Amino acid sequence: VGTFFGSNIAYQDGTAIYMFGTGGRKSIISDCWFESNHGEGGSAMWAECYHNDSLLITGCHFLQNYAKSNGTLCINSLQSTKISITECEFRENFAYYGGGIYLNSNDTLSEVTNCLFKNNLSGSVFDDYYTHGSAAYLTALSNSHMKLTNCSMIENEHLNPGAAVKT
């Protein structure tokens, strides 16, 4: 709660926070700032959620983070998990997939509500087929439900043809 994570560098995933679910855990990340972190994937945070885990991220700011692969905030979830991201700001972040958020879900309820995505960038000058989602890259596999509600997508850019949100 209320923690600042700034200018961290990692040569693997999860520069500021790396979480690995163990089943049934409830995690809350609240009112934190993630600024100028650099890493492989999840330059601000990488989370693996499994077996009835729940993850709530609320009131957080993600500013000028750089991920070489998946999202400033990268979440992989499966097996009856619940993911909720509310009232967060994603501004001026870069990632190959999903400049702001990369969310990969299977048998998961995922909700992104009242968030601002502004001036995020995704893509690669080398690969225009697989890179998408300057603000968010969202995948919902079997038995997953994903809601994007009351979010603002402003001036996000993709280096190749693409959109603010890739689903």
Side-chain angles (χ1 to χ4, degrees):
V1 176
T3 303
F4 176 80
F5 299 90
S7 300
N8 297 293
I9 297 172
Y11 299 101
Q12 294 183 1
D13 300 323
T15 304
I17 295 176
Y18 183 94
M19 297 175 57
F20 189 82
T22 55
R25 179 174 59 187
K26 181 175 182 177
S27 300
I28 300 172
I29 308 294
S30 176
D31 301 314
C32 293
W33 285 78
F34 299 87
E35 188 170 341
S36 299
N37 297 291
H38 294 255
E40 195 61 36
S43 57
M45 180 178 165
W46 179 284
E48 299 279 340
C49 301
Y50 303 105
H51 310 292
N52 297 311
D53 283 340
S54 68
L55 174 60
L56 170 62
I57 300 171
T58 184
C60 292
H61 303 271
F62 299 86
L63 307 169
Q64 298 177 340
N65 296 286
Y66 175 88
K68 290 181 184 177
S69 60
N70 302 335
T72 292
L73 171 60
C74 181
I75 302 171
N76 294 296
S77 61
L78 58 96
Q79 298 174 336
S80 302
T81 59
K82 181 175 183 200
I83 308 298
S84 180
I85 302 165
T86 61
E87 299 177 1
C88 291
E89 172 187 23
F90 297 86
R91 193 183 292 256
E92 299 175 17
N93 299 293
F94 171 83
Y96 197 66
Y97 305 98
I101 295 175
Y102 177 91
L103 179 55
N104 180 26
S105 59
N106 189 353
D107 192 21
T108 299
L109 172 62
S110 303
E111 298 174 326
V112 180
T113 309
N114 298 327
C115 292
L116 170 65
F117 296 86
K118 186 170 183 181
N119 294 328
N120 296 289
L121 177 65
S122 70
S124 167
V125 294
F126 304 109
D127 186 352
D128 64 349
Y129 183 74
Y130 291 105
T131 60
H132 299 285
S134 54
Y137 188 103
L138 311 171
T139 59
L141 303 174
S142 65
N143 201 31
S144 290
H145 304 281
M146 190 170 293
K147 285 176 38 176
L148 186 65
T149 307
N150 200 33
C151 293
S152 297
M153 309 287 175
I154 302 168
E155 297 174 356
N156 296 286
E157 184 177 348
H158 183 59
L159 292 177
N160 302 301
V165 178
K166 163 71 170 126
T167 57

